[in-house]
Amino acid sequence: MSQFDDLPTYLSTDGTQADGHVYGTLSYNKKRNCWVVKAEPSVTEFCKRLFPGSATSRRGEAHFSAHKRIVGDLNWLMLRYPLAIKPADRQRWQDALAQARDYIRTRELARRAPERVRPAETVFTGSLTGFQQEGLAYLLRTERGLLADEMGLGKTVQALAMLAQLSAYPALIIPPAHLLRNWANEIARFIRKENGDAVNIHVIKGLKPYELPPADIYLMHYLLLRGWKESIPSLGINYVIFDEIQELRHSGTEKYSAASLLAGQAQRVVGLSGTPIYNRGAEIWNVINTLDFHFLGDFESFSREWCYGYGNQIVAKPDVLGDYLRSEGMMLRRTKQDVLADLPPKRRLVMTIDSDDRLYRQMLQPISQALHKLKHDSAITGSQRALLTMEVEQGERQATGLAKAPYVAQFVRALLDGGEKVLLFAHHHSVMDVYKKELHAFSPASITGRETGAQKEKSVERFMLGRTDLCCISLRAAAGLNLQRATCVVFGELDWSPAVHSQAEDRAHRMGQTDSILCYYLVSQGGSDQNIQDALGLKVSQFVALMGDSPQTQEQLSQSTQYARQHVERLVQRLLENAQ
């Protein structure tokens, strides 16, 4: 990265070096982390009029947040109205001014040189597209920033590439609860130490703090932050990533308070979110304030200047605010349309989600009799064994689907909140019923094989005309449907056949379409998913080879069927070994 030394005048000169008349004093308030101007009324009135965030109720006094950008503004003020700095705070001011200059240099470099960085192969095992390399460059030169790429563009992998490139350990990553396992899997897949060893991961559990074991990366979901609030200062974490940082869009909660405390003490803080703002534009103030305290000033000043008046929640010109955040280097956002040339027609990602182990075990009880027969009854015929095997396989698939169904719904809800148009596929009617109940607020359309022809047509019409953004479809009821309005395809349950998945994907991705469709395969760590993953070849997060993108030949179909049958047998054998 080239150097930038052409500092603006207001930073190239120290405003405290005046030889003549001074208008007051400058001192540092440690408790409030601000610089305090005590000066003649004409000066403090000027401060409060020009810098609304500096206003206080005290006459002859103005406060300036100790943010690097605001320190530059304060220095500019003192070029016009010199102030005498208190001796005890002189070195602190010189340090603050040096940081302000570095801040401007970094910002100007970011503006002038949108570069790309390839992560070192010794520490990062993945590969990044061109726009992801630009995202990595942004994260490497930004100590506090928001990567706001649209959903599905690889924010996770860019953030992991940053950690790997910087060897930024120990680091703390805070995702929503349902994405905790996926982060652990992605870390293990992508990051290595310089010597080739895997990084050590510790998942923090429970609200009650305990002594953490040594680790390179700690994982903790948002719901635990409040319990660890008092312990956060002693953790010694300098690198923090908030995944889906819109979780912190509401202030006044213990979660928000703990996150702000953690971010304030960290050296580098990154927020990830494709949807940082929900209903109220002012929520972005809370998000940005967590990343960089008072970057947008205090909330009263922000609402007065950026919104429709003091205390108002609606940003008057969100496009102008977005441009400001980008120009200041606080935010980088690319949409799918911006990078479409770098994207394949289909992007397939496997996401590991949680499941209800207790419900899974409960759902397995009805097949215990069939398992007992398979294990102990030597008199059953081959055809009887085949039927019992099928019963066991279907029972576990349904148990797996039901156990993870609430977490699938939670994942889909996040997509819908982000403005995506979703096709949600499942195999069992009971699983589909859970989806429709959990996602009732989105008024989903349904094509499950239980509808009449007229009802099916109405569901297609509702989705295609935009009356709903969610259509729930049975995996084997997708033939012949044209649902090109969809931007995401989600598989809440898996099928043994690659062709079934490919056909389901094609309900959204039709011939001649130039868009890039995002296909999520949501899997749990237990149950039948692991066996079906093996059969489909879903052992990496972005797979391309075994999904039947071209029509299967009869030989391929036969091989696929035989392969699936072998995995069914392994599935049943595993259950037999675990049976009492």
Side-chain angles (χ1 to χ4, degrees):
M1 186 180 290
S2 60
Q3 294 298 310
F4 173 81
D5 293 313
D6 188 19
L7 286 167
T9 303
Y10 75 90
L11 274 175
S12 59
T13 304
D14 187 341
T16 62
Q17 302 302 315
D19 296 326
H21 176 69
V22 294
Y23 291 79
T25 62
L26 177 70
S27 61
Y28 177 73
N29 185 312
K30 183 177 180 180
K31 184 177 181 180
R32 295 187 177 184
N33 190 30
C34 70
W35 291 95
V36 179
V37 174
K38 293 183 179 180
E40 299 172 10
S42 61
V43 175
T44 53
E45 186 275 334
F46 178 80
C47 291
K48 295 173 184 179
R49 178 159 41 88
L50 195 59
F51 304 101
S54 69
T56 73
S57 59
R58 296 183 179 182
R59 184 172 62 253
E61 189 171 310
H63 292 179
F64 288 78
S65 173
H67 188 277
K68 295 182 283 290
R69 178 173 50 81
I70 295 176
V71 165
D73 294 339
L74 180 55
N75 194 67
W76 172 84
L77 172 75
M78 290 191 293
L79 294 177
R80 172 64 181 85
Y81 298 105
L83 300 171
I85 193 166
K86 289 190 174 181
D89 294 323
R90 284 175 185 167
Q91 186 58 51
R92 181 184 292 275
W93 172 255
Q94 292 301 320
D95 292 342
L97 197 56
Q99 292 174 6
R101 288 165 175 160
D102 287 342
Y103 172 82
I104 292 297
R105 291 189 181 100
T106 301
R107 189 189 68 181
E108 290 303 317
L109 284 170
R111 284 176 173 174
R112 295 181 177 201
E115 58 188 281
R116 297 182 176 186
V117 173
R118 291 177 178 269
E121 295 180 359
T122 53
V123 293
F124 185 75
T125 61
S127 60
L128 302 182
T129 64
F131 74 86
Q132 289 173 337
Q133 292 174 16
E134 291 173 1
L136 173 58
Y138 166 77
L139 293 175
L140 290 175
R141 64 175 177 253
T142 305
E143 289 188 352
R144 293 174 180 270
L146 173 63
L147 182 60
D149 285 350
E150 195 173 66
M151 202 169 291
L153 297 187
K155 294 184 291 295
T156 298
V157 75
Q158 293 174 70
L160 292 180
M162 177 203 71
L163 290 181
Q165 191 77 359
L166 293 173
S167 294
Y169 312 124
L172 174 60
I173 301 174
I174 303 176
H178 68 282
L179 294 179
L180 204 63
R181 288 185 178 179
N182 190 71
W183 269 95
N185 290 345
E186 298 294 82
I187 292 167
R189 180 188 170 212
F190 283 115
I191 299 184
R192 292 289 180 271
K193 295 182 182 178
E194 285 283 359
N195 61 7
D197 291 346
V199 294
N200 296 318
I201 305 169
H202 176 73
V203 178
I204 298 174
K205 298 180 179 179
L207 287 168
K208 185 177 181 180
Y210 56 89
E211 185 175 350
L212 295 177
D216 300 304
I217 298 178
Y218 296 96
L219 287 169
M220 169 196 284
H221 62 73
Y222 283 101
L223 299 177
L224 300 186
L225 272 173
R226 61 185 177 87
W228 285 76
K229 179 181 177 180
E230 300 303 324
S231 302
I232 281 174
S234 63
L235 294 181
I237 301 292
N238 285 323
Y239 305 92
V240 179
I241 295 173
F242 292 105
D243 186 26
E244 304 294 348
I245 196 174
Q246 71 271 11
E247 291 274 340
L248 301 175
R249 66 189 184 276
H250 299 303
S251 61
T253 65
E254 286 293 307
K255 175 175 68 174
Y256 183 86
S257 176
S260 298
L261 181 62
L262 176 63
Q265 297 183 332
Q267 174 182 332
R268 183 178 292 266
V269 186
V270 172
L272 306 178
S273 176
T275 53
I277 309 173
Y278 277 73
N279 297 326
R280 299 174 182 270
E283 291 171 353
I284 191 66
W285 183 88
N286 291 328
V287 170
I288 298 299
N289 204 53
T290 302
L291 293 172
D292 200 346
F293 183 70
H294 276 195
F295 180 89
L296 291 172
D298 61 87
F299 181 73
E300 288 78 9
S301 303
F302 172 82
S303 63
R304 183 173 57 246
E305 302 303 324
W306 286 100
C307 302
Y308 284 104
Y310 180 84
N312 189 276
Q313 295 283 320
I314 308 301
V315 174
K317 296 181 179 179
D319 54 336
V320 176
L321 177 57
D323 288 342
Y324 174 70
L325 293 174
R326 283 186 285 269
S327 67
E328 289 293 314
M330 174 52 67
M331 181 176 77
L332 176 66
R333 176 169 173 81
R334 283 80 56 87
T335 67
K336 183 173 62 175
Q337 294 303 317
D338 294 333
V339 299
L340 196 57
D342 284 347
L343 299 177
K346 297 178 187 177
R347 291 166 289 153
R348 296 175 174 126
L349 293 95
V350 178
M351 303 286 287
T352 305
I353 61 173
D354 279 327
S355 63
D356 186 336
D357 294 337
R358 183 177 178 182
L359 177 60
Y360 171 75
R361 291 192 297 270
Q362 180 182 332
M363 291 297 299
L364 282 185
Q365 290 177 1
I367 65 171
S368 58
Q369 186 176 356
L371 281 171
H372 187 272
K373 274 193 173 185
L374 284 171
K375 188 171 185 178
H376 301 289
D377 192 345
S378 58
I380 61 174
T381 65
S383 59
Q384 289 174 323
R385 177 172 289 275
L387 287 173
L388 287 171
T389 298
M390 184 180 299
E391 180 185 339
V392 170
E393 184 268 336
Q394 286 294 326
E396 186 175 38
R397 282 183 67 190
Q398 179 166 303
T400 301
L402 287 170
K404 66 178 181 176
Y407 301 95
V408 171
Q410 190 175 359
F411 184 89
V412 171
R413 187 180 296 113
L415 293 176
L416 294 166
D417 285 340
E420 302 290 348
K421 287 77 178 174
V422 181
L423 303 184
L424 174 56
F425 287 93
H427 178 73
H428 295 94
H429 290 315
S430 58
V431 174
M432 193 70 75
D433 290 341
V434 175
Y435 295 163
K436 288 191 286 186
K437 179 181 177 181
E438 294 280 337
L439 299 166
H440 175 74
F442 296 94
S443 186
S446 298
I447 304 171
T448 65
R450 292 181 286 186
E451 298 82 13
T452 64
Q455 289 172 327
K456 182 176 178 180
E457 289 179 12
K458 184 177 180 180
S459 289
V460 172
E461 180 181 306
R462 286 184 63 223
F463 183 79
M464 291 301 291
L465 293 180
R467 295 170 186 162
T468 179
D469 289 333
L470 173 61
C471 188
C472 300
I473 311 173
S474 289
L475 274 167
R476 303 219 172 205
L481 296 175
N482 184 355
L483 298 164
Q484 283 180 277
R485 182 171 171 267
T487 58
C488 283
V489 175
V490 177
F491 293 99
E493 288 191 281
L494 305 179
D495 193 280
W496 291 105
S497 170
V500 168
H501 292 281
S502 183
Q503 184 182 70
E505 291 174 347
D506 286 342
R507 298 315 96 203
H509 188 269
R510 307 295 289 174
M511 186 68 69
Q513 186 169 345
T514 57
D515 201 355
S516 176
I517 300 300
L518 189 55
C519 304
Y520 285 107
Y521 288 74
L522 305 185
V523 301
S524 60
Q525 290 190 321
S528 60
D529 277 356
Q530 299 304 303
N531 295 85
I532 302 179
Q533 276 185 269
D534 288 339
L536 295 176
L538 310 185
K539 299 308 289 184
V540 296
S541 290
Q542 293 180 314
F543 59 94
V544 293
L546 299 177
M547 290 304 302
D549 285 337
S550 57
Q552 285 187 308
T553 65
Q554 190 60 41
E555 181 182 1
Q556 289 172 329
L557 183 60
S558 177
Q559 289 175 346
S560 176
T561 302
Q562 181 179 1
Y563 194 37
R565 188 181 301 119
Q566 292 171 355
H567 279 282
V568 170
E569 292 170 358
R570 293 178 194 172
L571 181 153
V572 174
Q573 185 60 39
R574 173 172 55 79
L575 290 176
L576 286 171
E577 291 171 356
N578 294 333
Q580 298 299 324

